[in-house]
Amino acid sequence: MQAEIKKYQTYELDVDPDQDDKATEIKLCNFSRPHMRAFHCSWWGFFIAFFIWFAPAPLLSEIRTTLGLSKQQIWTSNIVGVGGTIFMRFLLGPACDKYGARILFAVVLCVASIPTAMLGLVNSSTGLAVIRLFIGIAGGSFVMCQFWTSRMFTKDIVGTANALVGGWGNLGGGVTQLVMGTALFPLFKEITGSAETAWRTVCIVPAIVAFGTGITLYYISDDAPKGNYSDMKKNGTMPEISAAASFRDGAFNFNTWVLFIQYACCFGVELTMNNAAALYFKDEFGQSTESAAAIASIFGWMNLVA
């Protein structure tokens, strides 16, 4: 009998052959391919995605001052920034079924890094809303984050794997407040001598990190335990999947919409807090941009254990 064609013949983790060689254990200090490499790439990629998604949030008070924006215009940009990711998630789910998480993760991070770097070019409320719409593409990476670990770990432990990568990834929403608002913004302000120049240039840093992360993920990881989707399809170990059929099956499943409502309620609160917290502490308590961002970051740090 001919041996099954797959990229790896042995694994450093125990696997279940009846579940497509998915791992039956999680070793956090292990970075071996394919299982734990995908695990760490998943949470780190989502962490960076969250980081750039909310990189403008701690800078909104400075942006508001420079552009003379109203509270309504700021909130419009917040809403649009979240709206962009909703559309992307509808597309990325079926695309993951067809192409796998690795390629899409790389594409989303690289594409979203471009508008992140261009934040400093904004000169109007419309421009801010549009640029945040495209930065919001990064939020769609949650789909790949959860899909990837679901592809790598058995049903007995996939809940734990998904919780870890999702929680650690969401942590980026808190860390970006601290790094962007409390560390990099004052540093750039000291270097440039201007608060306006600082907020217009500081987002180049996370943009470079996000682009580099996207490229790195593509080359150092695998789509599935048995290899990459393109190779598996050539070898006959994976059938061709229709993204349209996948979307249709999910859309007509009642459970999908129950979870849709639940997730909208809980994650919606988190997104609101990430967007509004720093501005709230500055307006209501007279905090500086730096201290308001530090206080706002506390909410995001709960993801480390929650």
Side-chain angles (χ1 to χ4, degrees), residues 234-278:
K234 289 178 183 177
N235 297 332
T237 55
M238 177 183 173
E240 189 64 52
I241 295 174
S242 167
S246 175
F247 179 82
R248 186 170 54 251
D249 291 343
F252 285 97
N253 188 316
F254 177 75
N255 294 324
T256 299
W257 296 103
V258 173
L259 294 173
F260 176 92
I261 295 171
Q262 292 176 334
Y263 187 60
C265 293
C266 66
F267 194 53
V269 173
E270 180 177 3
L271 298 184
T272 300
M273 286 293 294
N274 285 337
N275 270 317

Side-chain angles (χ1 to χ4, degrees), residues 187-247:
L187 175 63
F188 273 59
K189 186 165 63 173
E190 179 69 24
I191 293 173
T192 63
S194 165
E196 178 181 350
T197 305
W199 76 255
R200 287 188 181 278
T201 55
V202 70
C203 279
I204 294 174
V205 175
I208 293 173
V209 174
F211 192 89
T213 297
I215 297 297
T216 302
L217 289 182
Y218 179 82
Y219 285 106
I220 69 168
S221 56
D222 308 283
D223 293 334
K226 295 181 180 179
N228 293 326
Y229 277 22
S230 57
D231 296 328
M232 292 168 65
K233 290 173 182 176
K234 289 178 183 177
N235 297 332
T237 55
M238 177 183 173
E240 189 64 52
I241 295 174
S242 167
S246 175
F247 179 82

Side-chain angles (χ1 to χ4, degrees), residues 47 50 60 108 111 115 133 141 156 168 205 238 270 291 303 305:
F47 177 95
F50 236 81
L60 286 176
V108 166
V111 170
L133 172 68
S141 60
D156 298 324
W168 293 354
V205 175
M238 177 183 173
E270 180 177 3
S291 59
N303 285 291
V305 294

Side-chain angles (χ1 to χ4, degrees), residues 31 58 66 137 145 245 279 290 294 301-302:
F31 294 84
T66 300
I137 292 172
C145 170
L279 203 57
E290 294 85 347
W301 282 97
M302 289 193 297

Side-chain angles (χ1 to χ4, degrees), residues 5-149:
I5 300 175
K6 54 186 180 180
K7 187 172 183 178
Y8 303 99
Q9 298 303 316
T10 60
Y11 306 102
E12 290 196 23
L13 273 65
D14 292 333
V15 302
D16 184 352
D18 294 329
Q19 294 188 51
D20 258 352
D21 285 358
K22 292 181 179 180
T24 60
E25 59 183 344
I26 300 172
K27 295 181 178 180
L28 294 181
C29 295
N30 187 299
F31 294 84
S32 63
R33 299 175 74 164
H35 305 91
M36 291 311 300
R37 181 70 60 84
F39 176 93
H40 289 294
C41 284
S42 183
W43 78 259
W44 177 249
F46 188 42
F47 177 95
I48 295 300
F50 236 81
F51 194 102
I52 63 173
W53 190 10
F54 292 102
L59 308 173
L60 286 176
S61 61
E62 300 294 337
I63 296 173
R64 178 183 60 184
T65 299
T66 300
L67 304 183
L69 304 180
S70 66
K71 181 179 293 187
Q72 182 180 3
Q73 290 171 324
I74 290 293
W75 271 106
T76 297
S77 78
N78 291 340
I79 294 169
V80 170
V82 173
T85 194
I86 296 173
F87 176 72
M88 287 302 301
R89 291 186 185 197
F90 279 114
L91 295 179
L92 290 170
C96 275
D97 289 329
K98 185 173 181 65
Y99 302 108
R102 177 182 60 96
I103 294 174
L104 296 173
F105 227 141
V107 170
V108 166
L109 285 173
C110 290
V111 170
S113 69
I114 298 172
T116 302
M118 296 173 64
L119 180 68
L121 301 178
V122 167
N123 285 306
S124 67
S125 61
T126 302
L128 179 62
V130 170
I131 207 77
R132 295 195 71 186
L133 172 68
F134 287 104
I135 294 175
I137 292 172
S141 60
F142 178 70
V143 176
M144 288 81 80
C145 170
Q146 297 294 281
F147 182 90
W148 212 351
T149 44

